Amino acid sequence: MAGDSPRGIRLDALAYGGDYNPDQWSEEVWLEDARLMREAGVNLVSLPVFSWPQLEVAPGVYEWGWLDRVLEILTEAGIRIDLATATATPPSWLVRSHPEMLPWNEDGQRLEFGSRQAYCPSSPVWREHVARMTRAMAERYGEHPGLALWHISNEYGDHVSRCWCPESAAHFRRWLEARYGDLDGLNEAWGVDVWGQRYTAWEHIEPPRRSTGPVNPTQLLDFERFSSDALLELFQLEIDVLREVTPEIGVTTNFMSILRDLNYWDFAAVEDLVTDDAYPDPADPRAHVPAALNYGYMRSLKGGRPWLLLEQAPSGVSWRDVNVPKAPGQYRIGSLQAIAHGSDGAMCFQWRQAKYGQEKFHSAMLGHRGEASRSFREAKAFGAELRRLEPVRGSRVRSRVALVVDHDSWWGSSAAESLPSQRLNWLAQARAWHAALHALGHPVDTVRASGPFDGYDVLVVPNLYVTDASQAAALEAFVARGGQLVVGPFSGVVDATEKVHDGGAPGPLRGLLGVEVDEPWPVADGLSEQVAFAAGDAFDAPVWGEWLEVHEGTEVLARYASGELDGRAAITVRRSSSDDGAYRDPSPGLDTALRAYSTDGDGAAWYVSCVLEEAGLVALFREVLGAAGLPARERVDLDLEVVTRSDETTDYTFVLNHSRRELVVDVPAGAHDLLAGDGGGLDTALRADSTDRAALTLPRFGAAVLATPRAEQPPFITLSTPTEN
């Protein structure tokens, strides 16, 4: 991580540690914590995230002494500090002096002080005090020898991502005026002639509070954009102060994986290091699959640079209805998964388990039983093991597949009530498409819809509801240079102002995809239609379908096999050289159709007009990968995950078994397992099957990190024997 940015994290090792709340404990405990942290291999802690009231006890009255002492103890122990600006939530004296800074909900009710994030992001009072507190922290601790990184606020948007108060209304109007220039521009963009919504004064515009009926969809989309931008402004305010006072120290704020409410592409662009808080549910045996997508998003936000897992649970959390602990081995495999996907460390929430408050039942590296707690034993063991992975630090994940994450499309396809169906869920669709690629053996990066797409052979777009000409041009260029593009349903529907494109969907993608959507055809709740490939395989298609009209030169790979769409095209492909007007057999069979166009290396644009079940997506993406010349597992298993990080000379291939059963996989013979240490334990575990391949047995939650000379393509590792499900 050091060296990737002029303001990276000041740490010369993989990061290991957690959030620390010393203001809940005595100095005697601080000293004990420092000793135990060293014993566990901790080298970085985050503090004092929620300590503003303990640092500024009254307006302008600071009590720095306790924090000075904590930093002294930790620094003497060799532990660096991810120093929070303490602006995650306001002190009570500020709220009671300025109750107008409290946020409102959609119903116009003011939310009370009593939890965290009790502020309106647009409040000028809040912003003034945030800037003042940030400056006070920077001026006092900016030259502290233990300072590794600035930690701004905490989990923006976790509790308050939208505010409907009068101050937010005024800010929303200013944002709209900057976007549209004048009321004529706004009225045209919002299509106000429907239902008599024309505005004649800026003061007439309010946030989209609960209304008498469906609210203007463009107003809703703009409010989503504005709300993300309002929190981004708040973030930028602190960045500006810190870079003025401490220009050499990197800044971050902790993200919350793939979050609908905030456009993290914009947030990542202004910070130095991407950090993430990730909490896969240990009760869900497939939780590691969406986690892999989250981590692909994190590493992609700054172009593949290493990021940092800043929070994970050592065991159970405190905020689910049922908080199942992590089984022995799950903490280790989850930490290794994040590192495999580009994190240069594995941090936790929290170091010492609290005795009181809302998170007293949230697990910690040091549990309520102290050194005797299982969580401490596992944390200590992993801390020792982590040092063996030091060669991986700074390397980057290798992926040839990317998934488009577009917040306008996510917001637009979910914010309004007046959609063909409320069941077409952007995140569910993205996770399903990613899961199929994960099962076939490919880690997946993420990209914006406008690119760049350099370095990828396959680009998947689960949904691009809001589409403009520049995005369409970027996607066309990707296909023209030989890429395989797969676009999902309800794409190319509207422009940035929620106006349906002339001629209907897929709008500016029409020529690229070679289809037209006459009408969306959502599937009624409780029902599922069928989609059949000509080769004979048929799969369920719940939720969504579309009446397609297919252009000449576009091949039909699968058709609807039930319902009113029976016999109509469901999945199509158009290759980049389809300019001869020839119309091939509309149902030649998937394999035959692929051979017809993939042998000359042409790019292709695939269109999937339905929501396919998992098996159907696996079958489809197997063919897409084949068309791109990429390998795919013959036998799929979601529990086996393989990710390669590489530097200039070495491939580090993480082989992870997320299950409670044994897996046997084929790996390169002679590879060295970093986790085995100097003993080279992997060599004795390998059973040679050939001169270049060997079998590796992974026990329950087992892992190996295989070091091999860097190759043109990273090792592709598959199951070597059938496994029971």
Side-chain angles (χ1 to χ4, degrees), residues 526-725:
L527 299 180
S528 181
E529 303 297 351
Q530 287 273 301
V531 167
F533 293 103
D537 292 332
F539 303 99
D540 287 341
V543 179
W544 190 269
E546 292 173 351
W547 183 299
L548 293 187
E549 299 290 346
V550 180
H551 293 183
E552 287 191 40
T554 301
E555 301 181 45
V556 178
L557 303 181
R559 294 181 177 276
Y560 292 101
S562 64
E564 295 296 330
L565 298 180
D566 190 5
R568 303 206 62 85
I571 301 174
T572 63
V573 63
R574 186 177 183 86
R575 57 189 170 111
S576 59
S577 59
S578 290
D579 55 1
D580 56 4
Y583 185 69
R584 306 187 198 284
D585 178 356
S587 298
L590 187 58
D591 293 335
T592 305
L594 282 164
R595 285 195 296 272
Y597 72 83
S598 63
T599 53
D600 60 4
D602 287 338
W606 310 59
Y607 185 61
V608 184
S609 70
C610 53
V611 173
L612 271 180
E613 64 167 307
E614 181 177 293
L617 288 172
V618 169
L620 173 65
F621 283 121
R622 184 187 300 282
E623 303 299 341
V624 173
L625 291 169
L630 297 177
R633 293 177 186 158
E634 284 299 319
R635 291 193 308 279
V636 299
D637 193 319
L638 286 171
D639 291 331
L640 173 63
E641 182 170 20
V642 180
V643 185
T644 297
R645 293 180 63 164
S646 302
D647 57 26
E648 293 181 355
T649 62
T650 308
D651 288 331
Y652 303 101
T653 301
F654 288 70
V655 188
L656 309 175
N657 176 8
H658 291 281
S659 75
R660 289 172 166 81
R661 57 195 168 89
E662 184 179 275
L663 294 179
V664 182
V665 296
D666 285 338
V667 300
H672 174 67
D673 182 9
L674 296 184
L675 294 176
D678 295 335
L682 178 65
D683 292 336
T684 60
L686 289 171
R687 301 191 306 273
D689 294 329
S690 66
T691 57
D692 61 348
R693 305 297 292 176
L696 170 66
T697 299
L698 294 173
R700 155 193 167 118
F701 298 138
V705 181
L706 309 181
T708 54
R710 179 172 177 133
E712 183 177 349
Q713 296 295 333
F716 192 76
I717 292 174
T718 62
L719 292 169
S720 60
T721 58
T723 59
E724 295 181 2
N725 292 321

